[in-house]
Structure formats: C-alpha cells, structure tokens
C-alpha cells in the first residue's frame, strides 16, 4: 500500500496570546501567534507561521485623535514537486504497482514501473517557500468644529516572497539530468502605499440638512522580482547559489504604478422627506497611456 509509505498522519499546533486594555483616553491591543502543520506527505514539514499585531489609539484632546495599527507575519512552507507525473507523490501512489517494494536489494530506492523514486526525491529535491508580510496603518483625526472633521490616513504594506528549489548532486533526478546538482532561487518584493485625506461636513439648518465628503487619495505599487539558477556544485552539501560553478539563468524585473483619486460627495435633505444626492470624482492611473491617464466620473 503505497499510501502507507508516502503519506503520514498530520499534526497541527496553534498558540495565541492576546492582551488589550486602556483608559477613557487610550486603547491598546496586541497579540502573538504561532501555527504549525506537519502536512500529510512524508519528509515534508508543510507549514510554520509566526504572527504579531499591535494596535494603539489615543484621544490627545477633545479635537485630536491618533492611532496606529500594525501587523507582522512570517510563514515557511515545504511543497512537493507539483507536476502531473511520477514526481508528484499523489500521482505516484496511484500509479505504482502494489507488488513493487520501496527499496531494491542493494538498499537503494526502487524507481518502480513509474520510473521515479518519489520518496527519495522528497528528501533530495526539496522546495521551500518563505513569506514575510508587514502592514501598518497610521491615522489622525482633527475635529475642526462640531459639523466639520478632517482625517488623514497612511496605509503601508511590505511583502517579501522567497522560493528555493534544490536538486542535490547524485539524486535520481540529478543523474537523469546530468547537472551535478542545481539550486534555483527567486525573490519577489512588493511595497504598497496609500495616503488618504478626507474632510467630512454634516450640519442642519432648520429643516435643511447638508452632508458632504471631500477626499483625495494617492496610492503606489512597487514590485521587484529576481530569479537565478545555478548548476554544478563546487562543494558538496552547500545549497547556495555562490557554490554553483555554472551560472545558468538570471532574470529580474521591476514594476511601478501610481494612482490618484479626487472626489466630492454631497447629500441635501429637506424636512427629512426630500433628498438630493450627487457625486463627482477624478481618477488617474499610470497604467494607461499618457493621454488617457485621467477620467472624470459623475
């Protein structure tokens, strides 16, 4: 039964610590978390995740309120080779014959009729991912008058995704490909920023009531990517690109986009019976051509 040899019972762990409190002027909240999942495939540790959060808000005066919300998460995963052939353990265990053993008489892994010893590959051809994500929101609010309020917010997100794939020298796949080992790495960095300025008006004049919001928003997205592949180990067991004697492939790229939005929304009501609403906004995006970056929408 190849399922008994390829799969395992999984185990999950989760720990979470949180605290919150404050006064009539300030509030705070923070938490720490840890999660792990061994997964169901042998020789792989599916998931480890660490997380933290901190929120703070303070009423500096009757008119000024400020706050910050932050979070951090770091995650590590190990994956099988996601191919639709014998290198995928789930495809393998339904394709291998039940009368074929895991090992040959000489102690080496049996490639079976499938032609690939997936249990050996799960150890000698690992795929690892790591993901770091940091979020931060800083805001301030100023009460100009009872009917007029201004709020400014700044949202930031930084994310970094790293992947690493290894074919160790002497492994079954390496012998087929004749590489003397290979290391593939890729880094993907992303940064998002959104700045929001908002002015709210809400006032009654007898039977008349006017509410309006004016806002301006500016956002950016920056992405940097880099990937490299090296072959032919210089020193056995050192799974880093600088140990690869033969550089094979290097690629990289950068993408930047910018967006702006300016908007006005207004409502007028008479005697709480008749309402007139209207809005207009002007949006711009660097994704469009220079002559078509802006549009006005009613």
């Amino acid at each position: 039964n190849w399922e008994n040899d390829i799969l395992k019972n999984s185990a999950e762990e989760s720990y979470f610590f949180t605290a919150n409190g404050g006064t009539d002027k300030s509030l705070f909240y923070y938490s720490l978390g840890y999660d792990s999942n061994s997964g169901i495939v042998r020789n792989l540790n599916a998931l480890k995740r660490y997380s933290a959060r901190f929120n703070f808000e303070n009423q500096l005066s009757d008119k000024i309120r400020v706050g910050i919300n932050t979070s951090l998460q770091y995650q590590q995963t190990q994956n099988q080779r996601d191919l639709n052939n014998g290198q995928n353990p789930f495809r393998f265990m339904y394709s291998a014959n039940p009368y074929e053993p895991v090992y040959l008489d000489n102690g080496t892994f049996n490639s079976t009729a499938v032609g690939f010893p997936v249990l050996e590959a799960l150890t000698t051809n690992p795929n690892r991912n790591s993901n770091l994500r940091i979020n931060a929101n800083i805001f301030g609010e100023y009460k100009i008058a009872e009917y007029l309020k201004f709020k400014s917010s700044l949202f930031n997100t930084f994310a970094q995704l790293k992947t690493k794939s290894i074919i160790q020298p002497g492994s079954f796949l390496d012998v087929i490909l004749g590489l003397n080992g290979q290391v593939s790495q890729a880094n993907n960095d992303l940064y998002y920023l959104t700045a929001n300025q908002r002015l709210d008006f809400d006032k009654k004049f007898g039977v008349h009531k006017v509410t309006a919001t004016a806002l301006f928003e500016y956002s950016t997205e920056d992405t940097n990517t880099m990937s490299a592949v090296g072959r032919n180990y210089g020193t056995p067991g050192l799974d880093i690109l600088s140990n690869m004697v033969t550089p094979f492939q290097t690629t990289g790229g950068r993408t930047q986009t910018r967006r702006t939005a300016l908007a006005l929304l207004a409502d007028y009501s008479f005697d709480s019976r008749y309402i007139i609403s209207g809005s207009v906004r002007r949006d711009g995006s660097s994704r469009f051509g220079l002559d078509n970056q802006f549009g006005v929408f009613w």
Side-chain angles (χ1 to χ4, degrees), residues 74-177:
Y74 179 69
Q75 179 174 293
Q76 294 177 314
T77 58
Q78 284 185 282
N79 303 312
Q80 73 276 357
R81 294 178 68 83
D82 190 21
L83 303 171
N84 190 26
N85 57 33
Q87 298 181 67
N88 185 300
F90 298 100
R91 176 68 181 268
F92 178 93
M93 69 185 183
Y94 292 117
S95 302
N97 294 314
Y99 52 80
E100 295 180 293
V102 176
Y103 299 97
L104 299 176
D105 291 340
N106 61 6
T108 61
F109 282 94
N110 181 15
S111 60
T112 74
V114 178
F116 191 80
V118 72
L119 283 168
E120 182 259 7
L122 288 171
T123 302
T124 60
N125 308 145
N127 292 278
R128 304 186 183 101
N129 296 333
S130 64
N131 191 344
L132 173 67
R133 189 176 187 90
I134 302 171
N135 297 307
N137 170 26
I138 303 171
F139 67 88
E141 188 175 280
Y142 179 62
K143 191 175 182 180
I144 302 171
E146 288 297 325
Y147 54 85
L148 190 62
K149 182 170 61 177
F150 173 75
K151 185 175 182 179
S152 179
S153 302
L154 186 66
F155 303 87
N156 293 270
T157 295
F158 173 76
Q160 184 180 71
L161 175 63
K162 293 184 177 182
T163 62
K164 188 173 185 178
S165 179
I166 298 169
I167 300 176
Q168 294 180 358
S171 63
F172 188 88
L173 183 60
D174 180 63
V175 173
I176 293 175
L177 300 175

Side-chain angles (χ1 to χ4, degrees), residues 179-196:
L179 304 176
N180 190 34
Q182 175 178 284
V183 173
S184 305
Q185 283 189 243
N187 294 345
N188 191 358
D189 296 334
L190 306 99
Y191 178 67
Y192 304 109
L193 179 146
T194 299
N196 190 298

Side-chain angles (χ1 to χ4, degrees), residues 270-281:
F270 175 76
D271 199 23
S272 299
R273 299 175 62 192
Y274 306 101
I275 300 175
I276 299 175
S277 297
S279 67
V280 60
R281 61 183 294 149

Side-chain angles (χ1 to χ4, degrees), residues 194-211:
T194 299
N196 190 298
Q197 318 301 321
R198 174 170 175 159
L199 187 66
D200 290 298
F201 177 88
D202 188 344
K203 190 171 184 180
K204 278 188 173 183
F205 305 89
V207 295
H208 309 279
K209 182 180 180 181
V210 177
T211 60

Side-chain angles (χ1 to χ4, degrees), residues 21-35:
T23 66
D24 58 340
K25 296 293 185 181
S26 64
L27 298 170
F28 73 88
Y29 170 91
Y30 63 85
S31 65
L32 298 172
Y34 170 75
D35 299 277

